[in-house]
Amino acid sequence: MERIYIKEIFKNKKEEKVLVKGWVHETRELGKIKFLLLRDVTGIIQIVATKDNSEFKKMNQSRENVISVSGKAVKSKQAPGGIEIVPEKIEVIAEAEQPLPIDVSDFSKTELPKRLDYRFLDFHRKRTQAIFKIQSIISTAFREHFINKGFIEFQPPSIISSASEGGTELFPVKYFEKNAYLAQSPQLYKQMVACSMEKAMTITPVWRAEKHNTIRHLNESRQMDIEMAFANQETIMRELEEVVQYIVRQVIEKGAQELDLLNVKLKIPKAVYLSYEEAIKKVKGKTGEDFTPEQEKKLCGIYPDSVVFTHSWPSSIKPFYIMPKGEKKDAKLSEGFDALYGGIEISSGGQRIHIPELLAERIKAKGLNPRNFESYIDSFRYGAMPHAGWSIGLERFTMVLLGLNNIREACMFPRDRDRLTP
Ligand code: ATP
Ligand code: MN
């Protein structure tokens, strides 16, 4: 007999012989009758046996044992979902050693660090599963949206020979006789792809050797990036607005069950566009400085259910490759923007510098050596047009969308200041 997924039994709604496989979720004994909740990746079904059932004894199973049950699905008013299984044969496929090292119930009493130590077991929890099912919907929606718009997906290298964003915070790698680094962003590569193939997208890991330990930073994270030729900051802010709305719509449609389980209610966000100067005034910040986490939260509080764009940032606090306003090397403002959602930055982007001399100037102005960026600068010498792009952190976005209080909840195997395993 072929195994059937639990969801199918509820869908079929008929009395039939079945074979199910999964984890022991819960057991209960009420005198002469024993209940066992069996869980697979699609749902939970009740197994019920009375004293005269040959499998009565085998109904005593430890939590998270993996078992197979063949028997008859029967309708029952008392059973959750209206159907339960009367077992004919119960077999243990794998025993789970007891006691379990973490609490695997939905509202686990185990603290996050310990749950992460036993992440494989934490994956048994439906809440954890819901987070990653939604993350999978997010990345699929992102890819789908841009592929449908004629973007090409590309894979940048993860090992690079020099800094892409300027000196600091790189993990060194030994590369034969040479020193290399783990990529902190696909920046330079996506620009090269956009300047030849026009519309580029990628979902790729990046590494940042920031020593601080915060609830919103990882040392290894995934980025969802686009880059477009013949585009400025306005063009790509609209692209960001559109894709966020598309992703949220997909999550609402395809992740309804998971959202329910996580007790999250989503609305398709509106978009608000403010200049940096307007925005920094609204939160009483200092012109020329980045928004503090409190100020980001405050700004989003003014515009609920919105992606808040702050555009035209001062050049001094944007990376060297962001185009100064009017393509003038001394312009105070730039074509760079940030996007905030749910109180936190989810994306940064802008128009890039495609003029080699200007690029060299800006690199110098940031106190960096243009000679270290020669091949990057040279890539714009043979026909490079104005282009622009941005980057959304996948884990950051997941965290914001689901209102998680730590980004590690949104990363299967987080890498942080202290954690390298599992
Ligand atoms: P922040 O100011 O929030 O630290 P950033 O400005 O340093 O971020 P960017 O270089 O703009 O980061 O990266 C683009 C996006 O990638 C960010 O908007 C964010 O969503 C995500 N991101 C950046 N750094 C991290 C990190 N250390 N861990 C997880 N996600 C990150
Ligand atoms: Mn940023």
Side-chain angles (χ1 to χ4, degrees), residues 192-361:
M192 289 191 239
V193 180
C195 287
S196 49
M197 292 183 243
E198 296 212 24
K199 298 198 273 187
M201 62 134 297
T202 186
I203 303 178
T204 188
V206 295
W207 293 268
R208 297 184 179 195
E210 297 157 344
K211 281 197 173 140
H212 55 232
N213 231 336
T214 80
I215 55 146
R216 53 156 89 187
H217 293 98
L218 297 164
N219 292 111
E220 177 182 78
S221 66
R222 262 55 40 177
Q223 284 189 193
M224 303 189 287
D225 279 39
I226 70 160
E227 196 72 24
M228 289 174 81
F230 306 107
N232 58 25
Q233 66 167 339
E234 270 86 73
T235 332
I236 53 160
M237 285 193 287
R238 299 283 172 201
E239 291 290 345
L240 184 63
E241 171 185 346
E242 252 186 51
V243 74
V244 170
Q245 290 167 340
Y246 182 77
I247 291 172
V248 177
R249 201 172 305 127
Q250 290 293 303
V251 169
I252 291 173
E253 266 174 37
K254 300 192 172 140
Q257 226 180 320
E258 285 73 28
L259 288 176
D260 216 36
L261 199 128
L262 295 168
N263 203 9
V264 173
K265 291 190 179 48
L266 290 180
K267 276 196 196 141
I268 312 283
K270 301 182 285 276
V272 179
Y273 292 85
L274 305 167
S275 70
Y276 166 86
E277 287 178 67
E278 282 174 90
I280 201 83
K281 276 196 197 113
K282 276 194 198 290
V283 297
K284 300 196 170 63
K286 270 207 203 110
T287 306
E289 283 181 14
D290 201 344
F291 296 82
T292 64
E294 291 71 35
Q295 289 166 345
E296 289 182 349
K297 204 181 261 171
K298 195 166 156 191
L299 193 59
C300 288
I302 307 175
Y303 308 98
D305 300 310
S306 302
V307 178
V308 180
F309 289 90
T310 55
H311 61 82
S312 308
W313 277 52
S315 293
S316 56
I317 45 173
K318 279 289 163 199
F320 66 79
Y321 51 77
I322 293 288
M323 181 62 95
K325 277 254 182 262
E327 303 187 359
K328 293 199 187 77
K329 71 174 185 198
D330 301 323
K332 289 244 155 27
L333 298 181
S334 75
E335 294 287 317
F337 75 88
D338 266 15
L340 311 178
Y341 186 31
I344 301 184
E345 175 189 326
I346 54 158
S347 178
S348 286
Q351 185 180 332
R352 323 301 190 183
I353 300 178
H354 62 284
I355 304 162
E357 299 68 40
L358 184 53
L359 191 51
E361 287 282 349

